[in-house]
Amino acid sequence: MGQLLYRCQPPACKRHPEWAYGAVIYELNVRQFSPEGTFAAVREQLPRLQALGVDILWLMPIYPIGEERRKGTLGSYYSIRDYGAVNPEFGTFDEFRALVEAAHGAGMRVILDWVPNHTSRDAVWVAEHPEWYKRDPETGEIATPYDWTDTAQLDYDSPEMRRGMTEAMLFWLRETAIDGFRVDMAMLEPLAFWEGCVPELEAFMEAAGRRLFMLAEAEGPEFHRVAFDATYSWEVHHLLVDIAQGRVPEPAVALRERLLWEGEAYPSDALRMRFTSNHDENSWNGSEFQRFGAAARTMAAMTYLLPGLPLVYNGQEAGSDRQLAFFDKDCVDWRGLNGEWTEFYRDMNALRHTHPALWGGTRGGDLVAMDNSLSNKVFSVKRRVGDSLVMGLFNLSPDHADFEVHDEDFNGSFRQIGSPLLAELRSDAHFYLPPWGCFIYFR
């Protein structure tokens, strides 16, 4: 029968928008997405993203960037001068609204990156509401969080500031018809703030006949209690990097143990975002090819088999190996577009859309580990909902793997990702996987 690692069936914790359960998230950096770096240039690419199978467009911060202590030539997207405007480098407010409307017309949702912990040091709020900021106890100046020297620390002990933050978020929901937010460093604000703010945002959206989606850059079951639909799966990501870099003696055992813990600790309806790259990983730690090496494809496939929501960072669908500069213009390398990586992500997105077994939360199938004869190195799992059955075999080692799989479902005719032929499976047959290889079967 195998080992149940991750239960995805009720009871649920938080009701998500129906469109979120089977969604694929695409993170888009407007500045680096095209040579123009504009909303209009993004809009031109919506048909391509629709064909790729993207459901949720997550746009990195689009607001005006501060100039005081600016880093690099163009500054950090996360040093925001005005929560109520758009960066003129990207276009106009009306052009952004047109982008949202066009994305909705193509069947996609749009969420904005929201930065609630700090503003730029020359922000509108610094001039209008200096009392909304923390002060350095030694100098009396507005405090700077960490080494983010271009930012100013907001004070969540101020009820007026909290109100201002909620109103700023409501502004974007009301004026641009976006579908929600990705909240930067959500663990740095009091959880009580989010548990008060988000229901108000949800009430506004429901009155408008829409549903709100909230993604937290944070990890922990408590974020799913009231406020957030989805959280980052950082710990699994870091484990996969360690496995790919040979730092885990029994990789399949370690991964099963981590997922078993996660399946017990998190509510069954928690949507965990799975990824091999994002803007932070790419810019500060290197592309997925630098971090995962020969395991890059297998780890990318893994993000679709695990319960949750898969993320594609712009450029991954072109196999871009560029480590993008964070504070300067540095366009994605699109030369590989429509090549093997485009086909890979298109196939994986189509598999997710057509197989509810791979959906997130209580709409998806439980994650069950199938027994295999090389269980310390081979991670073999299945997920099922009704007639939808998907099984994955992952060699998590730099060695060739010759093994058997023993499971009642591992029998019959299946389709296989990357092959046009039917695969005939038997649980007593030997399977061979090359180093860091994977097979994904579906019926």
Side-chain angles (χ1 to χ4, degrees):
M1 293 297 292
Q3 179 188 20
L4 176 63
L5 298 179
Y6 209 113
R7 183 173 297 281
C8 296
Q9 299 307 305
C13 179
K14 187 178 190 296
R15 186 171 63 94
H16 312 299
E18 283 299 319
W19 45 262
Y21 291 95
V24 174
I25 305 176
Y26 186 92
E27 182 186 5
L28 196 150
N29 181 331
V30 176
R31 177 191 293 169
Q32 316 294 31
F33 187 71
S34 67
E36 300 86 356
T38 62
F39 299 133
V42 173
R43 185 177 174 184
E44 290 178 1
Q45 293 298 314
L46 291 180
R48 177 179 71 78
L49 297 176
Q50 181 186 33
L52 185 67
V54 171
D55 302 292
I56 300 174
L57 282 180
W58 153 22
L59 299 181
M60 288 176 64
I62 63 166
Y63 322 99
I65 294 172
E67 296 183 5
E68 185 177 338
R69 301 184 190 174
R70 173 176 283 195
K71 296 185 177 183
T73 57
L74 297 176
S76 170
Y77 320 92
Y78 295 86
S79 178
I80 295 171
R81 189 166 55 191
D82 187 351
Y83 284 120
V86 300
N87 186 341
E89 298 170 21
F90 298 163
T92 67
F93 200 88
D94 285 341
E95 286 172 328
F96 174 70
R97 279 196 286 212
L99 171 60
V100 175
E101 184 178 356
H104 287 166
M108 289 180 270
R109 312 288 173 164
V110 179
I111 63 174
L112 282 183
D113 216 325
W114 194 254
V115 188
N117 179 67
H118 50 266
T119 68
S120 71
R121 300 194 66 79
D122 53 356
V124 171
W125 281 7
V126 171
E128 295 180 350
H129 303 286
E131 72 280 7
W132 288 6
Y133 291 83
K134 289 187 176 181
R135 296 283 168 171
D136 185 299
E138 295 182 1
T139 67
E141 295 182 351
I142 291 178
T144 299
Y146 305 105
D147 62 346
W148 305 337
T149 55
D150 56 342
T151 67
Q153 178 70 63
L154 288 163
D155 184 3
Y156 275 80
D157 289 335
S158 167
E160 293 79 14
M161 191 283 296
R162 292 189 183 208
R163 186 67 237 160
M165 186 64 66
T166 302
E167 291 291 343
M169 298 177 81
L170 283 167
F171 168 82
W172 287 95
L173 296 176
R174 181 178 63 250
E175 299 298 328
T176 69
I178 61 167
D179 301 283
F181 300 94
R182 175 267 185 188
V183 176
D184 182 66
M185 302 296 285
M187 80 294 286
L188 297 182
E189 300 82 48
L191 184 58
F193 168 74
W194 295 116
E195 293 188 340
C197 168
V198 172
E200 185 173 348
L201 304 182
E202 288 178 326
F204 171 83
M205 291 288 276
E206 290 182 6
R210 294 146 56 197
R211 292 297 309 279
L212 179 74
F213 179 80
M214 297 291 291
L215 165 63
E217 187 194 11
E219 191 155 32
E222 67 275 14
F223 290 95
H224 294 274
R225 188 171 59 215
V226 174
F228 291 97
D229 298 278
T231 51
Y232 272 50
S233 176
W234 278 120
E235 291 300 324
V236 168
H237 172 76
H238 292 149
L239 175 58
L240 294 182
V241 172
D242 286 342
I243 289 172
Q245 296 184 6
R247 293 195 289 263
V248 182
E250 294 189 304
V253 175
L255 183 56
R256 286 194 298 271
E257 289 177 350
R258 172 64 203 185
L259 291 167
L260 183 62
W261 176 89
E262 188 176 297
E264 293 175 347
Y266 281 77
S268 59
D269 210 25
L271 300 176
R272 311 303 317 288
M273 189 176 74
R274 314 292 184 176
F275 53 91
T276 57
S277 192
N278 56 47
H279 67 273
D280 283 315
E281 287 297 305
N282 175 275
S283 291
W284 308 121
N285 298 321
S287 75
E288 64 270 32
F289 302 105
Q290 293 171 281
R291 289 176 287 111
F292 290 105
R297 184 182 295 269
T298 284
M299 298 311 189
M302 181 87 71
T303 64
Y304 284 81
L305 267 288
L306 300 183
L309 302 174
L311 170 73
V312 181
Y313 179 51
N314 55 197
Q316 285 193 283
E317 75 271 33
S320 176
D321 196 16
R322 177 169 291 172
Q323 186 174 357
L324 299 176
F326 203 78
F327 307 119
D328 305 285
K329 181 66 177 177
D330 188 16
C331 190
V332 172
D333 182 358
W334 292 111
R335 289 176 295 178
L337 194 62
N338 297 320
E340 60 176 319
W341 282 98
T342 306
E343 181 180 6
F344 168 80
Y345 279 108
R346 188 182 294 129
D347 287 348
M348 295 305 300
N349 292 342
L351 182 66
R352 178 173 176 82
H353 291 150
T354 57
H355 282 72
L358 297 184
W359 292 3
T362 54
R363 301 293 192 273
D366 294 341
L367 183 69
V368 176
M370 300 184 292
D371 295 332
N372 74 73
S373 59
L374 202 58
S375 60
N376 61 329
K377 293 182 177 181
V378 174
F379 183 67
S380 53
V381 289
K382 66 179 180 179
R383 298 182 67 192
R384 176 200 288 279
V385 168
D387 294 331
S388 172
L389 172 64
V390 182
M391 303 187 295
L393 308 179
F394 301 88
N395 180 7
L396 302 182
S397 78
D399 306 315
H400 297 286
D402 190 353
F403 60 98
E404 296 177 1
V405 178
H406 305 285
D407 190 88
E408 60 186 3
D409 286 322
F410 210 75
N411 186 43
S413 298
F414 289 82
R415 296 288 181 185
Q416 182 180 353
I417 288 291
S419 172
L421 304 177
L422 278 175
E424 296 294 333
L425 304 182
R426 300 198 321 271
S427 61
D428 60 346
H430 277 267
F431 289 85
Y432 171 85
L433 279 173
W436 305 113
C438 72
F439 293 146
I440 296 177
Y441 302 105
F442 56 95
R443 185 172 63 198

